[in-house]
Amino acid sequence: MNSGPTLSIGATGPDVRRLQRLLVEIKSLSFGQIDGSFGANTESAVKDFQAGNGLTVDGIVGPQTWSKLPADPGTPTLSEGATGAAVSALQKGLKSYSTQNPAADPGPIDGVLGPRTAAAVRAYQSDRGVSVDGIVGDRTWWVPAGAAGATLASLSGLTTA
């Protein structure tokens, strides 16, 4: 179950970014709209979500709305030198994607974001039309990866969406 502070038009910050990631995950918001600012597009996506889930349609994200949203998929910002389970998940997603672009193959899934994985990230970013900086942030995790609306987050196994 998800929870968070009450959010509405004008709110900013990491909780808004988390809300926006969840709305992208459920295909209610575009990946390019993850900006940490609760504006009209976020409000509209929240209202659509509320309407589809039998909630009061007010555009305010309170306890009832949070409770209906999926769990946070845990897509952290990663850059060269990062290690751990999130990097292994990233490498798994890149490996799946590399069937479409062999340059996105990160090599062995070892949980280390070294030079080969960083190069794979840049190849993926270039392919998907996001800023090519080698940093795996919200837009890299959530840009559509091609068929059936898959994303790097879903290919990585961090989410089922």
Side-chain angles (χ1 to χ4, degrees):
M1 183 155 120
N2 215 327
S3 64
T6 299
L7 300 172
S8 61
I9 285 280
T12 60
D15 286 310
V16 175
R17 287 186 81 87
R18 180 168 59 102
L19 168 66
Q20 290 169 330
R21 281 192 303 268
L22 298 174
L23 292 169
V24 170
E25 180 181 354
I26 62 172
K27 315 271 189 285
S28 292
L29 199 63
S30 155
F31 77 96
Q33 295 170 317
I34 301 173
D35 62 6
S37 180
F38 196 125
N41 290 328
T42 301
E43 182 185 47
S44 178
V46 167
K47 285 180 176 180
D48 288 347
F49 175 79
Q50 290 170 327
N53 284 275
L55 298 167
T56 300
V57 180
D58 59 7
I60 298 169
V61 182
Q64 297 290 342
T65 301
W66 277 116
S67 73
K68 297 284 186 176
L69 287 162
D72 191 336
T75 51
T77 299
L78 301 172
S79 60
E80 194 161 353
T83 60
V87 177
S88 293
L90 167 67
Q91 290 170 324
K92 177 183 171 194
L94 288 167
K95 184 118 2 225
S96 292
Y97 182 77
S98 70
T99 60
Q100 295 178 52
N101 177 357
D105 186 338
I109 297 173
D110 60 6
V112 177
L113 206 162
R116 184 164 177 188
T117 300
V121 167
R122 286 189 295 277
Y124 177 81
Q125 290 172 325
S126 177
D127 239 22
R128 304 316 311 154
V130 296
S131 196
V132 179
D133 58 10
I135 297 171
V136 183
D138 288 330
R139 291 188 180 196
T140 301
W141 281 116
W142 294 101
V143 64
T151 64
L152 191 53
S154 65
L155 293 172
S156 297
L158 295 173
T159 176
T160 56

